Amino acid sequence: MPRDGSSTRLRIMDAAEALILEKGFAATSVDRILERAQVTKGSFFYHFDTKQALAEALVDRYSELDLSHLHGNLERARTLSRDPLQQLLIFVSLFEESARALTEPYPGCLFASYCYESDLFDARIHEVIVRNMQTWRTEISQLLSVVAKRYPPRLDVDLGSLADAITVVFEGAFIVSKTHRDPQVVAQQLRHYRNYLDLLFSPDLEAR
Amino acid sequence: MPRDGSSTRLRIMDAAEALILEKGFAATSVDRILERAQVTKGSFFYHFDTKQALAEALVDRYSELDLSHLHGNLERARTLSRDPLQQLLIFVSLFEESARALTEPYPGCLFASYCYESDLFDARIHEVIVRNMQTWRTEISQLLSVVAKRYPPRLDVDLGSLADAITVVFEGAFIVSKTHRDPQVVAQQLRHYRNYLDLLFSPDLEAR
């Protein structure tokens, strides 16, 4: 156990993130965070000057983790196949695989939570979220361009919005999953996205 | 202008809904609603006993309007073609058409907003949202079953989650649209959903 307070900081952040995804940022009081994290007010304010500072730290951490999933799975997909279409399909399947292992509905996306309370946050937080979504778009668009050059799509599609579609699937599926309390929604919807890419680009459709 | 107070009630509801989609339910105080709707506290509490009662009225109204869009567009699609696959594609295109006409990002979905503050609402509100999403699933699944019988899908797909996918597209696209402040995201994503259905079911793909 580290003695520099990093575990306390982490405990505060974990408790706050869970509470925000259940009740939103406005209704998540510092007192409730203290109670959930089992820390004192003094140690909370030692780590975070304000609730807004905590919000920033949470969005930074969430974005970092999210981008590491993006880059990690792109990297793994490139290792698993040399063919760009296979890389694309494997990339989506890797997320599907993780989502299928869920036994509880995914607690939700911090970006979506912030988006529905957007007036409460400053411009810097908004920028982190925008930059995060743009990174997904850019990285996946690049792969899509390579795929589309080698495997001309069956329908005329816009590659930027096709790249955005995976973010749309995650965000939308989290909401449907939370509403129905069904942990399998995210995996099912990722499968539909993968099917769409397969039908758009795979040359050997009729042979199946 | 009706003199029975119905226009005041409506003004309160419109102001509250707009505020909730910008800052969430917890941060939307009665005072702010009064200010935005230009009504007195007395007339607010004449119409709504509590903020929770207002939340219920809003979710009921939102659901009613949403289901009227669902049923209206299903009805129109059935009028426009006798072929079930064409009905399905037209159904999606009608929503795409409305979304394409947006000049501002869609302000968001009240259900999604509630979903990210779900601890603040009682079971009845949760039920309205669940029932609403289930109605979409049921109605679209029925049409999908008829389509799949006449036009066997190219890939083995689960029709329930394929029906859910339109809800996923709306919810996810609202979030991406709000984040990027880009009104065209919803139409673009509906187009991808329509493409997917087309590629799954249309028998004459290779002829294009």
Side-chain angles (χ1 to χ4, degrees):
Chain A
M1 176 89 70
R3 299 195 174 227
D4 59 355
S6 69
S7 83
T8 305
R9 189 182 159 87
L10 213 66
R11 235 170 43 240
I12 294 170
M13 289 177 77
D14 290 346
E17 185 172 308
L19 285 165
I20 289 170
L21 292 174
E22 289 162 15
K23 46 181 101 265
F25 183 71
T28 297
S29 63
V30 171
D31 283 342
R32 269 180 198 271
I33 298 170
L34 303 183
E35 193 191 5
R36 180 112 154 204
Q38 295 282 314
V39 302
T40 63
K41 196 166 263 186
S43 94
F44 179 93
F45 285 108
Y46 170 78
H47 289 287
F48 303 101
D49 283 346
T50 58
K51 226 180 105 186
Q52 194 70 217
L54 170 62
E56 284 203 29
L58 285 174
V59 84
D60 285 339
R61 177 176 78 160
Y62 194 90
S63 174
E64 213 172 293
L65 189 66
D66 184 61
L67 293 179
S68 84
H69 290 152
L70 166 69
H71 292 126
N73 281 349
L74 275 175
E75 194 57 36
R76 283 177 68 197
R78 288 191 176 113
T79 312
L80 291 166
S81 174
R82 272 168 44 194
D83 178 80
L85 176 56
Q86 290 312 308
Q87 289 172 357
L88 179 66
L89 298 176
I90 290 167
F91 171 73
V92 179
S93 296
L94 291 171
F95 285 106
E96 192 193 329
E97 207 173 68
S98 315
R100 206 165 293 284
L102 293 173
T103 52
E104 296 276 321
Y106 191 78
C109 170
L110 205 59
F111 298 161
S113 163
Y114 282 29
C115 165
Y116 274 104
E117 290 182 285
S118 54
D119 264 18
L120 311 185
F121 304 103
D122 57 26
R124 193 191 157 269
I125 286 186
H126 183 70
E127 267 161 43
V128 172
I129 300 176
V130 170
R131 216 177 322 119
N132 183 292
M133 286 194 188
Q134 275 168 346
T135 305
W136 278 75
R137 181 191 288 172
T138 306
E139 300 273 332
I140 299 173
S141 290
Q142 275 168 4
L143 180 52
L144 284 170
S145 301
V146 180
V147 171
K149 225 167 269 170
R150 176 132 18 137
Y151 303 99
R154 279 195 176 72
L155 297 173
D156 188 28
V157 287
D158 166 59
L159 298 184
S161 64
L162 183 59
D164 277 351
I166 193 168
T167 303
V168 167
V169 165
F170 277 118
E171 294 297 0
F174 291 154
I175 289 171
V176 174
S177 168
K178 273 167 81 91
T179 301
H180 290 311
R181 297 185 176 132
D182 175 355
Q184 284 310 301
V185 173
V186 182
Q188 289 165 349
Q189 296 299 324
L190 284 167
R191 168 51 60 105
H192 287 301
Y193 179 59
R194 186 193 189 280
N195 284 345
Y196 177 40
L197 296 171
D198 197 5
L199 290 165
L200 257 182
F201 296 112
S202 288
D204 57 346
L205 263 192
E206 300 304 315
R208 294 179 198 193
Chain B
M1 177 87 72
R3 300 194 173 224
D4 59 357
S6 69
S7 82
T8 305
R9 187 181 162 86
L10 214 66
R11 239 174 35 241
I12 293 169
M13 289 176 76
D14 290 345
E17 185 171 308
L19 285 166
I20 290 170
L21 293 173
E22 289 162 13
K23 48 181 103 268
F25 183 71
T28 296
S29 64
V30 171
D31 283 343
R32 270 181 197 270
I33 298 170
L34 303 183
E35 191 191 5
R36 180 111 155 206
Q38 295 283 312
V39 303
T40 63
K41 196 166 261 187
S43 93
F44 178 93
F45 286 108
Y46 170 79
H47 289 286
F48 303 101
D49 284 345
T50 58
K51 226 180 106 186
Q52 193 70 217
L54 170 61
E56 284 204 29
L58 285 175
V59 85
D60 285 339
R61 178 176 78 161
Y62 194 90
S63 175
E64 213 172 291
L65 190 66
D66 183 61
L67 293 179
S68 84
H69 289 152
L70 165 69
H71 293 126
N73 280 350
L74 274 175
E75 193 58 35
R76 282 177 68 197
R78 288 191 176 113
T79 311
L80 290 167
S81 174
R82 273 168 43 193
D83 178 80
L85 176 56
Q86 290 312 308
Q87 289 171 0
L88 179 66
L89 299 176
I90 290 167
F91 171 72
V92 180
S93 297
L94 290 171
F95 285 105
E96 192 193 329
E97 207 174 68
S98 315
R100 207 164 292 285
L102 292 173
T103 52
E104 297 276 320
Y106 190 78
C109 169
L110 206 58
F111 298 160
S113 162
Y114 282 28
C115 165
Y116 274 104
E117 290 182 286
S118 55
D119 265 19
L120 311 185
F121 303 103
D122 58 25
R124 194 191 154 271
I125 286 187
H126 183 70
E127 268 162 41
V128 172
I129 299 176
V130 170
R131 216 178 320 119
N132 182 292
M133 286 194 189
Q134 274 169 346
T135 305
W136 278 76
R137 180 191 288 173
T138 306
E139 300 272 332
I140 298 173
S141 290
Q142 276 168 5
L143 180 51
L144 283 170
S145 301
V146 180
V147 170
K149 224 168 269 167
R150 179 139 8 144
Y151 302 99
R154 278 194 176 72
L155 297 173
D156 189 27
V157 287
D158 166 60
L159 298 183
S161 64
L162 183 58
D164 277 352
I166 192 167
T167 303
V168 167
V169 164
F170 277 118
E171 294 297 359
F174 290 155
I175 289 171
V176 174
S177 167
K178 272 167 81 90
T179 301
H180 290 311
R181 297 185 177 134
D182 175 354
Q184 283 311 301
V185 173
V186 182
Q188 287 165 350
Q189 296 300 323
L190 284 167
R191 168 52 59 107
H192 286 301
Y193 179 59
R194 187 192 187 282
N195 284 345
Y196 176 40
L197 296 171
D198 197 6
L199 290 166
L200 257 182
F201 296 112
S202 288
D204 57 346
L205 264 193
E206 300 305 315
R208 293 178 198 191

